[in-house]
Amino acid sequence: MLQRYPDAGEPLTCSPVTQGLLNHGYRVSTTRGSYFLKHHLDDSTGDRATIVRQHRATQRLQSLGVPVAPPVEDTEGGTVTEIGGRCYALHPWVDGLHRVGAQLTTAQSQRLGALLGAVHTGLAQVMETGAAQGRGPASPDAADTFALIDDLLDAARGRRPRDSFDELAEHRLVERRALLEQYADRRPPAPDVPATGWVHGDFHPLNVLYRGANPVAIIDWDRLGVQPRAEEAVRAAAIFFVQPAGKLELDKVRAYARAYRGATGAGAAELAAAVHRVWWERLNDFWILRWRYRLHDGRADPQFPAVSALAVWWTREYEAVREAFTE
């Protein structure tokens, strides 16, 4: 791999980076510094053309002053190396820490909202405008979710040996079914406006690096795509600012959302519609349980207590959450 990057120096060590769910990453130390070697494994985003598009986007965003870590170019100016049918890319290593919302002050939360706004407005400048057309995905159908709940309940109840996670999963599934029955008429209508632009697609604490109080790099652009931008803003806030008990820190959400609206010009009505769609999405979402019971993959299990509690709390505090994003 490094033979294609002679300026990177000779390799000394290569250590796996444990964080990340979809791809593999390694910290490579060489005679000239440190690098992040990314092994693209996700079939939906791991083809060369898709990766090159991500790389070009980060290169252009960097020219606008957005903190990113574009890939290193090889001797021929390329950024993707294909070995054995798999794609790899070399990035500069960025020293930094991941910060969740509890570690951010209100002012830093405001800056985070402005940062995501800069990503969205920057992508609008550097990506092909003709490709940013189409409509957002249809909202989940509760009838499909009821069938999924029954399937997951059977799996949770039948697991041997059964542990406390399975008991919590059963409780949350039964609870969620009751909520969906109560709010089935609140399913958002099909969006009547096109998706508004290019988004990062996976903006959460593990994909933002901080040095001190300052964000220094937004990483992992695998999910770069066209979606309703305000929905990414709401999803990101629901990940950054969720507390272990499943509540959102609404004061920080309010500061974040005001900064995002100021940076993008998004109106209160757009954010309110996004809040409703993401709330409904969360009410119908069981991706962590799908991983555990269908794929036998428990890497996301630690996220389940807070994520599952959030859907319940958000339903109860729906008006307060909407106001935090819109006022």
Side-chain angles (χ1 to χ4, degrees):
M1 173 73 185
L2 288 185
Q3 290 177 358
R4 297 177 61 90
Y5 302 88
D7 291 342
E10 295 297 321
L12 299 174
T13 62
C14 180
S15 305
V17 176
T18 57
Q19 293 171 322
L21 296 177
L22 297 178
N23 299 295
H24 289 169
Y26 305 88
R27 180 171 184 170
V28 178
S29 296
T30 77
T31 53
R32 295 187 181 177
S34 294
Y35 298 88
F36 176 71
L37 174 61
K38 184 167 184 175
H39 180 185
H40 290 266
L41 286 170
D42 185 22
D43 290 337
S44 64
T45 62
D47 64 281
R48 177 184 288 271
T50 299
I51 299 169
V52 168
R53 183 175 67 186
Q54 298 163 12
H55 292 172
R56 296 294 178 265
T58 56
Q59 290 168 336
R60 294 163 182 164
L61 286 174
Q62 187 179 55
S63 70
L64 298 178
V66 178
V68 290
V72 179
E73 293 186 350
D74 62 25
T75 54
E76 299 177 357
T79 57
V80 179
T81 297
E82 192 168 346
I83 302 173
R86 292 292 187 181
C87 292
Y88 300 80
L90 193 68
H91 297 259
W93 180 265
V94 179
D95 284 317
L97 299 173
H98 304 290
R99 295 190 181 278
V100 296
Q103 298 169 306
L104 302 179
T105 65
T106 301
Q108 290 169 338
S109 303
Q110 183 178 17
R111 184 170 183 182
L112 181 68
L115 177 63
L116 182 57
V119 169
H120 289 173
T121 56
L123 287 172
Q125 295 181 54
V126 304
M127 300 299 288
E128 315 87 22
T129 56
Q133 301 298 321
R135 299 182 182 277
S139 298
D141 188 333
D144 295 333
T145 306
F146 289 140
L148 174 61
I149 287 174
D150 289 341
D151 180 62
L152 293 173
L153 272 172
D154 288 342
R157 289 167 173 166
R159 185 177 172 89
R160 295 293 182 271
R162 202 159 183 262
D163 58 23
S164 59
F165 185 101
D166 301 310
E167 294 175 359
L168 176 63
E170 179 181 357
H171 168 73
R172 291 302 190 194
L173 286 163
V174 172
E175 178 182 54
R176 195 77 63 82
R177 182 165 57 191
L179 283 175
L180 281 168
E181 290 171 348
Q182 181 178 355
Y183 293 99
D185 62 341
R186 298 285 299 276
R187 180 188 183 190
D192 54 7
V193 295
T196 53
W198 290 91
V199 299
H200 177 276
D202 203 19
F203 194 83
H204 59 69
L206 290 181
N207 287 339
V208 182
L209 286 169
Y210 279 81
R211 193 173 300 141
N214 301 314
V216 292
I218 304 166
I219 59 175
D220 284 351
W221 291 78
D222 297 41
R223 300 300 184 189
L224 175 71
V226 177
Q227 296 178 18
R229 296 187 304 178
E231 290 181 28
E232 171 157 87
V234 175
R235 289 190 192 97
I239 301 172
F240 269 96
F241 300 111
V242 65
Q243 299 173 311
K247 300 179 180 180
L248 292 178
E249 296 183 271
L250 292 183
D251 288 343
K252 293 180 180 180
V253 170
R254 187 172 292 106
Y256 160 94
R258 283 177 178 169
Y260 175 80
R261 296 199 314 271
T264 61
E270 183 180 353
L271 267 295
V275 167
H276 187 66
R277 286 179 60 82
V278 177
W279 162 75
W280 180 258
E281 176 184 279
R282 286 301 189 96
L283 207 58
N284 285 267
D285 184 38
F286 297 97
W287 74 271
I288 298 174
L289 298 186
R290 287 187 182 192
W291 275 36
R292 177 179 174 89
Y293 295 120
R294 290 186 171 179
L295 303 178
H296 307 291
D297 186 337
R299 288 178 295 166
D301 286 1
Q303 302 179 41
F304 182 70
V307 169
S308 59
L310 175 60
V312 180
W313 178 87
W314 192 338
T315 302
R316 185 173 67 247
E317 302 293 336
Y318 180 89
E319 296 299 332
V321 174
R322 184 177 64 179
E323 288 175 2
F325 279 97
T326 59
E327 67 178 17

